[in-house]
Amino acid sequence: MRRTISWLYSLFFLKDNQASCFRTVLDQWKRERAAISQNYHFLLMCIIFQWIHNLATNLARFLHVPQTPLYDLGFVLVPKIDTDYEFLCDVVFSICILIAIAVWLSPFFNSRPSMTSTGILSRFMAVLVLAQSLRILTFVMTDLPGPSPRCKPEHKLFNQPQTLRGILWRSWSGMFSHGCGELVFSSRVLLVVLCLLTVSRYGRRRRLTISFAVLAITYSFLMISARREYSLSIFIAWYVVPLLWIAYGRSFPENLLEVLPTRQPKEEQGRRD
């Protein structure tokens, strides 16, 4: 993060370093293109799966029947936040996403020629698809009554799809909004925890990881305080996502998109041959 800020400072305020900064970006972009051309089909499949996850989420909302919220220990221990301060949940969530995006783009600013943003994205998307697959299974098997007032039909923000078109083509609300009927495994906490794991692996700064962890924990308590999620769904996200991250790391310790093999010049290859 510090190198990224210094790079931006050099780009906008130090004219002598502007050429070298642009050269660094162009060199990194060449490596990114090579990585994308080798594994674009994998990333494309992950992107298509986001529509499948969104479809399953909208279907769960369509089948959801509003009922009285269940007893939750988190609701007993954590006091309810005032409605005027619920926006803090969205603020903390946005900060977490922005930090993760900065780490994702860090290979363009740091001199690490063996690392690519495509590789970081590939590991993130692979674990995301695995976690979303398990999440679909959870809310297909069990429909929990939504604890948020937004899950009541009389609320102005109640957004349950009513038609087949709404199920198929509604926006990617399953990822970023506060739905009802798919609350066994929190989608937002899934993303925050996955961003935390990504930052801890690629951020290369202990303070950044600790600060992000504090943000992630704060966000979890804010979600409970705002009654947007059951503490059960948050707890499941906190232990399932790291387990999937570890399992994927054991299976693929060196992702092909993360570390590109250094190509030797043809002259040197001819000499060795």
Side-chain angles (χ1 to χ4, degrees):
M1 185 69 69
R2 187 181 303 173
R3 291 183 179 180
T4 302
I5 295 175
S6 63
W7 187 92
L8 292 175
Y9 178 81
S10 302
L11 177 62
F12 291 103
F13 297 102
L14 300 178
K15 295 183 179 180
D16 296 337
N17 294 338
Q18 288 181 356
S20 62
C21 291
F22 281 115
R23 192 180 304 111
T24 301
V25 172
L26 290 177
D27 292 341
Q28 181 63 30
W29 174 241
K30 293 178 181 179
R31 291 187 286 269
E32 298 292 343
R33 285 194 305 175
I36 294 174
S37 63
Q38 293 176 8
N39 295 275
Y40 69 92
H41 54 281
F42 169 77
L43 295 174
L44 182 61
M45 289 174 58
C46 292
I47 294 174
I48 293 175
F49 187 83
Q50 299 310 302
W51 178 80
I52 297 175
H53 174 258
N54 185 73
L55 174 64
T57 301
N58 287 332
L59 180 61
R61 294 177 181 177
F62 175 77
L63 299 175
H64 175 69
V65 178
Q67 298 177 10
T68 304
L70 301 176
Y71 168 82
D72 190 276
L73 181 61
F75 296 168
V76 177
L77 299 177
V78 181
K80 189 178 186 303
I81 194 174
D82 190 80
T83 308
D84 296 334
Y85 296 99
E86 286 188 9
F87 73 93
L88 293 175
C89 298
D90 301 322
V91 171
V92 176
F93 179 78
S94 301
I95 293 174
C96 293
I97 296 299
L98 290 176
I99 294 175
I101 292 176
V103 172
W104 170 48
L105 297 176
S106 62
F108 284 95
F109 312 115
N110 298 336
S111 56
R112 287 187 290 172
S114 61
M115 190 67 64
T116 63
S117 294
T118 307
I120 298 175
L121 180 62
S122 68
R123 184 173 292 273
F124 180 92
M125 294 298 294
V127 179
L128 178 64
V129 168
L130 292 174
Q132 287 177 336
S133 301
L134 296 178
R135 183 173 185 268
I136 292 173
L137 293 177
T138 59
F139 62 69
V140 166
M141 292 186 291
T142 303
D143 178 18
L144 297 180
S148 175
R150 303 182 184 189
C151 294
K152 297 179 180 179
E154 61 271 14
H155 198 277
K156 62 179 181 179
L157 296 178
F158 183 74
N159 61 349
Q160 186 177 24
Q162 303 294 333
T163 62
L164 179 62
R165 181 179 180 181
I167 296 173
L168 293 175
W169 303 112
R170 178 169 287 197
S171 64
W172 307 97
S173 55
M175 183 67 71
F176 296 106
S177 70
H178 318 288
C180 308
E182 28 88 26
L183 298 172
V184 181
F185 191 162
S186 174
S187 177
R188 279 199 164 201
V189 179
L190 183 161
L191 269 179
V192 170
V193 175
L194 186 54
C195 288
L196 170 61
L197 296 170
T198 304
V199 169
S200 66
R201 180 181 177 93
Y202 301 104
R204 305 296 179 92
R205 290 292 183 273
R206 191 173 184 179
R207 292 181 180 178
L208 178 62
T209 302
I210 294 174
S211 301
F212 199 104
V214 172
L215 280 175
I217 295 172
T218 302
Y219 177 74
S220 299
F221 280 103
L222 283 174
M223 292 293 284
I224 296 175
S225 182
R227 304 300 189 255
R228 292 186 177 181
E229 298 277 0
Y230 288 108
S231 55
L232 168 69
S233 63
I234 294 175
F235 176 72
I236 290 176
W238 267 102
Y239 77 80
V240 170
V241 177
L243 289 177
L244 291 175
W245 181 273
I246 294 172
Y248 185 84
R250 294 286 182 86
S251 302
F252 304 96
E254 291 291 342
N255 199 319
L256 294 178
L257 289 174
E258 289 180 330
V259 181
L260 292 177
T262 55
R263 298 182 179 179
Q264 300 177 349
K266 294 182 178 181
E267 297 180 358
E268 294 184 4
Q269 291 181 359
R271 293 175 183 176
R272 292 187 179 182
D273 294 339

